[in-house]
Amino acid sequence: MALAGLFGAALLGPELDRRAVALLAGLCAFADLDAVVGLVVTGAHRAAFHTLLIPLAAAALLAYDRRSGGRLRARYGGRGERLAWTGVVVYAFAVIGPDLVWNGVNVLYPLHDQFVALSGEVRVSNQRGLIQTVVDLSPAEESGGGGGSSLGAAVDSVSRGNTSQTQYATGVNPSPGEPDTGPVERTFPVARDGLDLLLLVSGTVVTGARLWLNGRN
C-alpha cells in the first residue's frame, strides 16, 4: 500500500486525493484476498488475484475504450481515466511486483500454472563485470554430453512449482495442506526487512505530504 501511494503521488500529482488513495490501497487489499480463496482452492494464494492477466486485461479494456469513443473519459473526465491507468500500474508493480521479487507469484494463472520468483541481486565488479543472480543464464547440464540450454537453465532458476506443489503460509492459513492440531499462531507481516520498513515509512510520508499539498492548493 505504501508503494501504491508513491505511484499515486508520482502519476496523479495534484489530482491525488483521499478517494484516489483509498482506491489504490483497495486494489492491494483485494489482491491479498486470494489468501481466503486458498482456504478452498489449493495454491490460490498469490495465484488467483496475483496473476498478470488481471492488469493486462484491464489495460486492454482501457485501450479499447479509448479507441472506441472514450466512455470512461466522457463519464468521469480525464482525471478518471488517469486514475484508472494508475490503478493498472499499481496492480502490476505495487501489488504483484513485490511478491514476485520476494518469493514468487503465479504470473499467468490460470492459463499457465507455474509460480516464478525473480529474487537475487545485480552487481558491477571491476574484475567480473556485470553480475546478476536473478535469472541463471548459464547452460543447463545434460547427461550424455553436449551443450545444455540457457533457456532451460533460466526457466529452472525462476520456477517455484505449480499450485499443487507450492502453497504459501499466511495469517489466514498458517499451515496450508496440514490439519490444525492445536492453537496456531497467525502472523501478518508489516515489514519483512529493513528495506520494507523504509518503503513503508517513506511511502506513507510522501503520500501524506502530497495530500497535504493538494489540500492547500
Side-chain angles (χ1 to χ4, degrees):
M1 290 184 181
L3 187 55
L6 283 175
F7 276 112
L11 298 178
L12 294 174
E15 295 180 336
L16 185 72
D17 58 15
R18 292 181 180 180
R19 289 184 178 181
V21 172
L23 174 63
L24 299 178
L27 291 175
C28 300
F30 164 77
D32 277 333
L33 288 178
D34 60 14
V36 179
V37 179
L39 294 174
V40 293
V41 179
T42 301
H45 181 47
R46 297 199 184 172
F49 300 151
H50 279 71
T51 170
L52 284 174
L53 296 181
I54 293 177
L56 287 175
L61 287 174
L62 289 174
Y64 174 78
D65 177 77
R66 185 68 182 273
R67 292 189 175 185
S68 61
R71 294 182 180 179
L72 180 65
R73 175 179 282 268
R75 182 169 184 178
Y76 297 104
R79 178 183 180 276
E81 187 177 38
R82 285 187 290 274
L83 179 57
W85 278 108
T86 301
V88 172
V89 173
V90 163
Y91 208 98
F93 292 98
V95 172
I96 299 175
D99 287 330
L100 178 62
V101 300
W102 180 254
N103 56 10
V105 297
N106 206 319
V107 289
L108 294 178
Y109 183 85
L111 294 184
H112 179 62
D113 185 6
Q114 183 68 52
F115 286 91
V116 299
L118 298 180
S119 57
E121 62 179 356
V122 179
R123 294 177 290 165
V124 176
S125 167
N126 66 330
Q127 296 183 358
R128 292 182 291 165
L130 180 66
I131 304 169
Q132 64 86 23
T133 60
V134 179
V135 179
D136 183 5
L137 299 177
S138 61
E141 301 208 359
E142 296 179 353
S143 58
S149 168
S150 294
L151 177 59
V155 171
D156 290 341
S157 71
V158 301
S159 297
R160 295 295 183 272
N162 57 33
T163 50
S164 64
Q165 301 166 326
T166 306
Q167 293 97 45
Y168 294 101
T170 67
V172 176
N173 187 11
S175 303
E178 300 178 8
D180 292 338
T181 57
V184 178
E185 180 183 12
R186 300 179 184 274
T187 61
F188 299 86
V190 176
R192 293 168 292 195
D193 54 26
L195 184 58
D196 266 8
L197 182 59
L198 176 62
L199 177 60
L200 173 63
V201 174
S202 60
T204 302
V205 170
V206 169
T207 305
R210 183 75 263 181
L211 289 174
W212 180 73
L213 290 172
N214 291 350
R216 293 186 61 191
N217 297 330

